[in-house]
Amino acid sequence: LCCSFINDVEFHPNGTCVASANSDNSVKLWDLRMNKLLQHYQAHGSTVNSVSFHPSGNFLLTASSDSTLKIMDLIEGRLFYTLHGHKGPATAAAFSSTGEYFASGGADEQVMVWKTNFKGDDPVSSAPKPTKREHIHKFNSDSNVRPEGKQVQCCRNLKIVQLRNVSL
């Protein structure tokens, strides 16, 4: 076990860092200017499939085969939330461009839209909750999601794009 595969990467909003989702259950944040590892999280119990930066750049969302989503606080360098909702591997997750919502998709063929809530004093009571759940036939590990406005873009096998209206 010397190597891991990178399942997903995303650039930080300021363009100086990149986050990677790895098959060794880890998430890594790299400084591109100095070619240096900045942060390393072993927060998941299985392969990490997806990463997404909050538009502020202060939070990182991950989706894993352990069925959970996690949100890391990059300023404090710690796990902020562990979220449960999928009944199988969570394969995709992404913040909206405003950061007000994020979407997740999984092997359970469910796409969920979640409302972010990073302003509460009590992280337990203010944890994000799904606001919308929809079954999408054949949503799988090659699928992706992206919430924007009142729609969620769902891409399966990099071929089919569905725009789903959501009532939030």
Side-chain angles (χ1 to χ4, degrees), residues 20 23 29 47 51 53 56 65 102 108 110 117 124 147 156-157 159-160 165 167:
S20 65
S23 64
L29 185 64
T47 298
V51 291
F53 282 103
S56 69
S65 291
F102 60 93
D108 57 1
Q110 297 292 311
N117 185 4
V124 174
R156 292 191 313 235
N157 301 324
K159 296 176 188 169
I160 301 168
N165 290 320
S167 302

Side-chain angles (χ1 to χ4, degrees), residues 38-110:
L38 296 175
Q39 293 179 4
H40 181 206
Y41 298 96
Q42 285 290 150
H44 284 286
S46 191
T47 298
V48 183
N49 298 310
S50 180
V51 291
S52 177
F53 282 103
H54 186 269
S56 69
N58 296 338
F59 301 98
L60 184 69
L61 170 66
T62 63
S64 171
S65 291
D66 66 7
S67 304
T68 66
L69 305 174
K70 304 226 180 205
I71 298 176
M72 315 299 177
D73 179 336
L74 300 178
I75 303 300
E76 298 290 326
R78 66 180 177 89
L79 175 63
F80 200 50
Y81 294 121
T82 298
L83 305 169
H84 302 273
H86 288 284
K87 303 213 182 325
T91 58
F95 281 107
S96 65
S97 61
T98 64
E100 186 179 358
Y101 295 94
F102 60 93
S104 64
D108 57 1
E109 297 185 347
Q110 297 292 311

Side-chain angles (χ1 to χ4, degrees), residues 16-18 29-39:
T16 62
C17 301
V18 67
L29 185 64
W30 298 89
D31 184 316
L32 296 173
R33 298 165 296 178
M34 301 179 66
N35 196 26
K36 178 181 172 186
L37 181 64
L38 296 175
Q39 293 179 4

